[in-house]
Amino acid sequence: PVESVVVCTASDATVSVASLAVQTTTDSTGQFALAGLPSRDLTFSVRLAGYRPANATLSLPAGRTLNVSITMV
């Protein structure tokens, strides 16, 4: 699973993994979680009105939780 924080001043940012057609939104604290993702390199995209889109390619380890921080400007 991926547990992460999107650093921005607003909630409801859309976090997606286009290659898997998976998406979620951040909560009121900017956090999100995605489970059931395959162990491989995946590109996460974060979008929120008023911010530049942010992308991060991450290598997901098998059987472990990955914690990441994605900053939006």
Side-chain angles (χ1 to χ4, degrees):
V2 174
E3 294 179 358
S4 184
V5 175
V6 175
V7 181
C8 62
T9 58
S11 60
D12 297 324
T14 300
V15 181
S16 62
V17 181
S19 64
L20 300 176
V22 172
Q23 81 175 32
T24 190
T25 56
T26 59
D27 65 17
S28 62
T29 63
Q31 297 184 17
F32 72 92
L34 290 170
L37 300 176
S39 297
R40 64 178 188 189
D41 289 349
L42 296 173
T43 299
F44 293 80
S45 297
V46 184
R47 306 271 186 270
L48 181 65
Y51 291 85
R52 291 184 190 147
N55 297 302
T57 300
L58 308 170
S59 182
L60 301 184
R64 294 185 31 213
T65 298
L66 181 65
N67 295 299
V68 298
S69 179
I70 302 170
T71 302
M72 299 192 70
V73 293

